Amino acid sequence: MTLTTTFAMRANRRLLLKGGAALTLGGLTLGRLGDLAAAQDESKLEIFSWLTSPGEAPALQALFDAFNAKYPDVEVINAAVAGGGGGAAQAVLQTRLQGNNPPDSWQTHIGRELIDQYVVPGYCLPISDIYEQEGFLEVMPQGLVEQASWESEQYSVPIGVHRGNGLFYNKSVLQDAGIAPPEKLAIDDFFAAADALKAKGVTGLALGSKDAFVPAQTFENVLLGVVGPETYRKLFAGEQPWDDPGVREAGDVLAHMLDYVNPDHSALTWDEAFALVIEGKAGMNTMGDWAWGEVIAKKAEDAIGWLNFPGTDGSFVLVVDSFPLPKGAPHPENSANWLRVIGSKEAQEAFNLLKGSIPARTDTDKSIFGPYHQWSMESFAKDELVPSCAHGQASSPQFKQALYDAATSFLVDRDVDALVVALSDAAAIDAENAS
Ligand code: GAL
């Protein structure tokens, strides 16, 4: 019997009796017996994500720094794959997981993405023991824990709560067009502002559709603004047909908004489009608040204003980043410790200050955050929380892809009927799969 297997046999009997679902040794989740051989090399930690933009990368580095502060001898390997929203990264990750070659952890949203894409297929180990040991249940909002759980076990640690339904604007560009800094924009007010900018020859709404999530995210924000949180939830939950008049109206509103976007949008990534607003070359941009991470990285806090996407006041579109514990992690001890560190108060403060999201933990020191974060925290505490489909939380991966495809086509053809048919067909497939 090898040394590692001996260690395993001293593992917690409770977990062994569970059929070795996950073994713990000295409080560390080591995965199944077969993983123990890999547990010998704990010199590295490979973290997979898509956090590569000027705002995202420093935030990720803050997590690496927090980890190395506690484990200075471990080499952290940054396995990030560029591409906003994780489209490219998730494709690479899927191949690695199918080839039984997981990193030590990866970025995933909570909700359907975590469960359908990673937990149900068996790529993750439960981490309820880590939640218990670290007291996460006492400090993480129940709603987030529920979306990070499957069959009463927790499977990922939420690190930050992004707000998907933002509208950011360049204060002086709007002022030059005679638009007072808006606190709130109804959809008609948006078009009045966009017309004023167009009259000055300025792009009203910067768009970067090179990243596949952007058309889908823009549509879901318009949809929320038109139909409201209750119908939005029902639509993505398959409880309301997509040929709803509100969906058609959202299509018409989005088609009208496209009259005000930069013509080169298909060549720009989300952060390149947002840079147009920071540089004063466009008036507004709808984006999740990772955009605020770009503002911070470029020290543009005084130049950029923010508000809810038109019509979405009172709602908060959840885009929650988290990290799971892979089955078969090459460095399982470091992998488990990564989750402990990123769930800590200190790491969540350091990360979210730079990322633009707010901490998942509720016990962080709110006084260290600036006006944008405070606004988002207040909204998270009082507004209707709805899951983003564009970022994988609201629906099956299949439906999300259908939304990506339909919204991307819509940018070109503005065909509302085609949009409704595509989403109705995808919902029918989901219903079929669920029956
Ligand atoms: C989201 C992710 C954010 C940010 C954004 C742009 O899916 O949750 O953290 O990375 O994509 O890439």
Side-chain angles (χ1 to χ4, degrees):
M1 185 177 279
T2 62
L3 178 62
T4 48
T5 311
T6 308
F7 277 140
M9 297 320 288
R10 291 195 200 115
N12 176 320
R13 278 187 55 77
R14 176 174 62 83
L15 284 170
L16 273 179
L17 292 176
K18 273 187 173 177
L23 301 177
T24 64
L25 182 65
L28 292 175
T29 303
L30 296 179
R32 290 193 172 82
L33 283 174
D35 301 334
L36 285 175
Q40 290 163 347
D41 169 19
E42 293 295 350
S43 62
K44 294 181 177 61
L45 173 78
E46 185 192 18
I47 299 303
F48 188 94
S49 76
W50 57 89
L51 303 179
T52 59
S53 79
E56 293 169 331
L60 178 64
Q61 187 57 48
L63 290 182
F64 293 165
D65 295 347
F67 182 83
N68 275 143
K70 194 157 184 183
Y71 304 99
D73 300 335
V74 175
E75 178 198 356
V76 178
I77 299 162
N78 182 359
V81 172
Q90 289 184 4
V92 170
L93 179 62
Q94 211 59 36
T95 304
R96 288 191 59 173
L97 297 177
Q98 284 159 0
N100 197 26
N101 170 32
D104 289 306
S105 194
W106 61 81
Q107 176 183 359
T108 174
H109 300 105
I110 59 176
R112 295 295 299 274
E113 181 172 294
L114 169 67
I115 304 307
D116 292 33
Q117 222 156 290
Y118 304 119
V119 174
V120 170
Y123 295 130
C124 303
L125 292 174
I127 55 172
S128 307
D129 52 340
I130 293 179
Y131 265 71
E132 216 171 293
Q133 291 152 8
E134 302 300 319
F136 289 162
L137 292 176
E138 284 70 57
V139 295
M140 298 268 186
Q142 189 188 344
L144 298 190
V145 174
E146 282 169 4
Q147 290 185 59
S149 302
W150 173 248
E151 296 182 344
S152 311
E153 296 273 7
Q154 283 74 60
Y155 279 92
S156 76
V157 175
I159 169 71
V161 181
H162 277 299
R163 200 173 190 286
N165 55 309
L167 187 75
F168 297 91
Y169 63 88
N170 184 299
K171 294 175 185 174
S172 55
V173 168
L174 266 59
Q175 202 150 1
D176 293 349
I179 306 161
E183 292 290 316
K184 179 176 174 180
L185 275 183
I187 291 171
D188 290 347
D189 302 331
F190 167 85
F191 287 118
D195 281 331
L197 289 161
K198 197 167 190 174
K200 301 284 280 186
V202 176
T203 296
L205 185 67
L207 187 68
S209 62
K210 186 175 181 183
D211 287 319
F213 81 91
V214 173
Q217 174 184 273
T218 306
F219 171 72
E220 75 181 16
N221 283 343
V222 173
L223 180 69
L224 178 62
V226 170
V227 304
E230 193 182 336
T231 301
Y232 174 103
R233 282 195 197 99
K234 284 180 179 172
L235 284 165
F236 286 113
E239 296 161 8
Q240 180 114 355
W242 281 96
D243 65 358
D244 179 279
V247 175
R248 292 185 175 282
E249 185 186 344
D252 293 338
V253 169
L254 179 55
H256 188 187
M257 283 186 173
L258 295 175
D259 291 342
Y260 302 92
V261 303
N262 43 303
D264 63 345
H265 59 78
S266 61
L268 300 184
T269 58
W270 72 268
D271 50 310
E272 288 168 340
F274 186 63
L276 296 177
V277 175
I278 292 181
E279 293 158 11
K281 296 172 184 164
M284 303 177 279
N285 173 251
T286 177
M287 193 43 63
D289 54 14
W290 40 92
W292 194 253
E294 302 301 300
V295 171
I296 294 166
K298 295 177 178 176
K299 301 186 181 355
E301 290 90 334
D302 294 340
I304 304 299
W306 65 84
L307 67 161
N308 285 302
F309 184 81
T312 69
D313 292 277
S315 295
F316 186 120
V317 175
L318 285 170
V319 183
V320 181
D321 287 321
S322 72
F323 285 86
L325 182 69
K327 178 185 168 302
H331 313 97
E333 194 174 320
N334 291 340
S335 178
N337 287 334
W338 165 257
L339 300 182
R340 292 185 167 85
V341 167
I342 70 168
S344 71
K345 185 170 173 292
E346 296 71 25
Q348 297 227 344
E349 289 171 351
F351 174 80
N352 289 288
L353 268 174
L354 298 175
K355 189 69 169 59
S357 40
I358 58 177
R361 286 182 71 122
T362 54
D363 62 339
T364 51
D365 178 359
K366 292 180 176 39
S367 69
I368 66 172
F369 291 94
Y372 175 77
H373 283 94
Q374 299 285 348
W375 177 80
S376 185
M377 287 174 186
E378 283 158 25
S379 171
F380 180 69
K382 68 179 173 50
D383 287 342
E384 289 286 339
L385 305 179
V386 294
S388 167
C389 177
H391 297 277
Q393 297 191 204
S395 60
S396 66
Q398 175 276 129
F399 187 94
K400 179 188 112 171
Q401 189 55 54
L403 175 62
Y404 275 35
D405 298 343
T408 299
S409 302
F410 189 83
L411 295 191
V412 177
D413 61 30
R414 303 192 199 189
D415 183 335
V416 174
D417 290 334
L419 179 71
V420 167
V421 166
L423 297 178
S424 302
D425 289 352
I429 291 169
D430 264 7
E432 181 64 29
N433 291 343
S435 62

